Amino acid sequence: MIRNDLRNIAIIAHVDHGKTTLVDQMLKQAGAFRENQVVEERVMDSGDIERERGITILAKNTSVHYKGVKINIVDTPGHADFSGEVERILKMVDGVVLLVDAAEGPMPQTRFVLQKALEFGHKIIIAVNKIDRPDARLNEIGDEVLELLLNLDATDEQLDSPIVYCSGRAGTASMSPNAEGTDLTPLFEQILEHIPAPQVDTDGPTQMLVSSIDYNDYVGRIGIGRIERGSMKVGQQVTVCDYHGTTQPYNAKVVTLYTIEELERKPVDEATAGEIVCFSGIENVTIGETLCNPNTVEPLPFVKISEPTVEMTFSVNDSPFAGREGKFVTSRHLRERLFRELLKDVSLRVNETDTTDSFRVCGRGEMHLSILIENLRREGYEFQVGAPKALFREIDGKTCEPVERMIADVPQDAVGAIMEKMGNRKGELVSMNPKGADRMRLEFLIPARGLFGYRTEFLTDTKGEGVLSSVFHSYQPYKGDISKRTTGSLIAFETGEAVGYGLFNAQERGPLFIGPGTQVYEGMVIGENPRGDDMAVNVCKKKQLTNMRASGSDDALRLIPPRQMSIEAALEFISDDELLEITPKSVRVRKKILSNTERLKKVKGGKK
C-alpha cells in the first residue's frame, strides 16, 4: 500500500546554513501557530545550551499539514561532532532537503550528510538558502552542488534533483534564482511531488525500529521511530529484539502511543505503517532495537554509526576544593550518569579503566565532549577531565590516526600565517580558491590531534574574521610528532585568596585567568606564560604596610582584565600534565601533581 497522505523528510546541512529557521517558517505557513501567538525564534532548538549557542545539538521531530498530506520533518544538527544524530535518523525518512548557504556553498559537513543520504538511496531536494545575502552566488551554487553529487557517485536520478531557492528568514521560495518568491509553496510542492510516499504493508505483523530516545519524569523512557510494517496499538504486546543479537529478546507492552502533530505529541489509540510515532512503557528500550509482533520476531538492521575519533578521561574530583560546589561528587554518581548518556547518544563510547574513579569517554570531537561536560555540570556533577587525545587504530599492521578535512575561509593577508601553522601541524593543502575580492578558501587534510588547541590561534591570525570548519575524512598512517603548545603555565604558589598586589606582580609574566578575590590552591593554573616554561607565582602576596614612604609606592595598581576561560577554550589550553576541574560554579585548570616541589623533582628526574 502507498500512503499518499504522508511524507517523511529530514532537513540536513552544514552548521549555520539555516535549517532550524526554515523549519520555523514551514510551521508558521502551514498554520501551526495562531496569528497572535508569540513564537520564539528557532522554536525547534528547545535545549538551554542550543538556545545560548545558536546551534542544534539533538535531532528533533515535528510535522506540518499541506493539502491534506502530513509531512513529518526531522530537524538535524549541522555540526560535525553531532553527526551521529544525522546518521541514526536517516532510517526514519524517505527523502531529504539538503540546505546549502547561497554564499558559502557546500561545506565539509554538507559533503558528510549528503554522502550518508546517498548511501540510503534517498531522494534529494536541494534548497539554496539565504538568497537575500548581499554576497550570494546564486548562479554558481547549483554547479558546486552538482559537482559534489558527481564526486559522491550519485545515481542519474539523484543528479536530477530539483533546486529550490529559499530565504528561510523571509519565508520565501522560488524555482528560479532570478525571481524571489512570496511564500514557501514551491518548497511544499516539491516535497509532495519529489519525495516518495511510504510504500508499506499495513496488514502485516507489527515491526518498528527505534531511532531515537527521549525521557520524561512521568512516563520514563520514550522510544521514537517509524512503524515499518503493520500497525501498533495502545496495550499491545510486543517482543523487543536486536538485529546484532547483543541482547536477548524479551516481551513488553506498549502503554502509551503518540503521533507528532506540529510541536506537540498527540495521544492516539492506534498508528499504522509509515507513521513516525513515540511510545512509552518499555523501560529498557534503546536505539537500534526493533519492536515486533511476538509471533513474527524479525529484527531490522540498524545503520552502523561511525566510530569516535577523540577520547578523554573523566575522573572524580580530588582537588583541595573538591565537594564544595557539586551535588554529585562520587565515582558511582559519575559512572551512572555517563552510562545513562550512552542510551541516547549513539556516537559516544564509555569504557572502564584500571582504577574505579576514572572512565575513558570517546566522542566525535572536542565540541561533542564539551557539550556533555556542560550538561553534567548544569545537572550538579563535579569531576575533572584530562586533555583530549586522538584515537589511534591498527590497520594492516600500521598505526593509523584520524584525519580531518578542514576548510578555512580567511582574508587574503592571513593566508601566509595559516599555511605556516598548518605546516607545523602536519596539514596538507588540498585546494586553494579565491572567494570574492579579498578572501580565500583553503582546504586541508590534517590529523585530528593537529587541530587541538588551534581554533584560538586561528582567530588571532585572522583577526577574528576567519571561519573554520572540519569533518572526519579517513584514517591514515601516523604522520609523526606534532609539537604541543609553545606556552607554559603560571601556577599558584600557595593556597589562599588572590589579591590585587599579587596579581599586579604576576600579570607582568603573562595573561591571567583569574581576578582579585578568587580562591586558589597550590598547583592551580592561574595564567599563561609566553616563555614556554611553567612558573610558580604568588598571587596571594599582600603589600607589607610600613611607615616608610617612597616615590611611587602609593600609585594605584592597574590590573589587566583576566581572560575568561570557557570549557572549550580550557580544553584547547590544557597540556598532558594538566587537568580541567569542572564544578557547577567553576572551571579551573590545575596540574596533575599539585605540590610545586614534587613537580620540580619529577621534571629534574625526567631530564636526567
Side-chain angles (χ1 to χ4, degrees), residues 502-520:
L503 290 169
F504 178 73
N505 291 321
Q507 72 185 10
E508 295 171 7
R509 309 288 183 193
L512 301 181
F513 305 152
I514 61 167
T518 308
Q519 294 291 329
V520 299

Side-chain angles (χ1 to χ4, degrees), residues 84-277:
E85 293 284 313
V86 184
E87 289 173 87
R88 67 177 169 76
I89 60 90
L90 286 174
K91 271 292 233 191
M92 274 202 271
V93 298
D94 302 302
V96 297
V97 176
L98 176 75
L99 231 62
V100 182
D101 188 295
E104 291 184 0
M107 294 290 275
Q109 182 68 359
T110 316
R111 169 184 285 270
F112 177 85
V113 291
L114 180 59
Q115 187 173 5
K116 293 290 173 190
L118 294 176
E119 283 171 14
F120 278 89
H122 285 332
K123 290 283 189 77
I124 293 159
I125 294 172
I126 298 157
V128 178
N129 195 25
K130 305 188 185 180
I131 57 169
D132 45 4
R133 278 184 66 159
D135 55 348
R137 303 177 295 123
L138 298 182
N139 297 320
E140 298 160 38
I141 296 294
D143 294 340
E144 287 179 17
V145 176
L146 195 63
E147 199 177 311
L148 180 60
L149 284 165
L150 282 166
N151 287 345
L152 296 175
D153 296 330
T155 62
D156 291 347
E157 197 180 7
Q158 287 165 333
L159 287 170
D160 285 337
S161 301
I163 300 180
V164 185
Y165 297 87
C166 311
S167 168
R169 188 177 286 278
T172 62
S174 150
M175 296 307 292
S176 161
N178 305 316
E180 197 173 320
T182 51
D183 56 19
L184 289 176
T185 303
L187 179 61
F188 284 126
E189 289 292 343
Q190 284 301 324
I191 289 170
L192 295 198
E193 188 184 318
H194 195 69
I195 302 295
Q199 289 195 10
V200 287
D201 174 8
T202 50
D203 301 322
T206 304
Q207 193 182 41
M208 173 191 168
L209 180 71
V210 180
S211 297
S212 190
I213 290 285
D214 197 0
Y215 186 82
N216 181 309
D217 286 338
Y218 299 103
V219 298
R221 196 172 301 170
I222 299 168
I224 305 169
R226 184 169 82 161
I227 303 172
E228 299 289 337
R229 188 176 67 198
S231 62
M232 190 176 277
K233 299 176 185 168
V234 171
Q236 181 178 343
Q237 290 289 335
V238 291
T239 298
V240 183
C241 52
D242 175 20
Y243 184 77
H244 300 289
T246 47
T247 54
Q248 199 65 26
Y250 62 93
N251 292 332
K253 187 167 91 169
V254 176
V255 176
T256 58
L257 193 62
Y258 308 89
T259 56
I260 295 157
E261 295 291 336
E262 292 154 359
L263 296 174
E264 294 175 354
R265 289 177 183 165
K266 182 180 165 191
V268 291
D269 293 326
E270 184 178 1
T272 53
E275 184 69 83
I276 294 175
V277 296

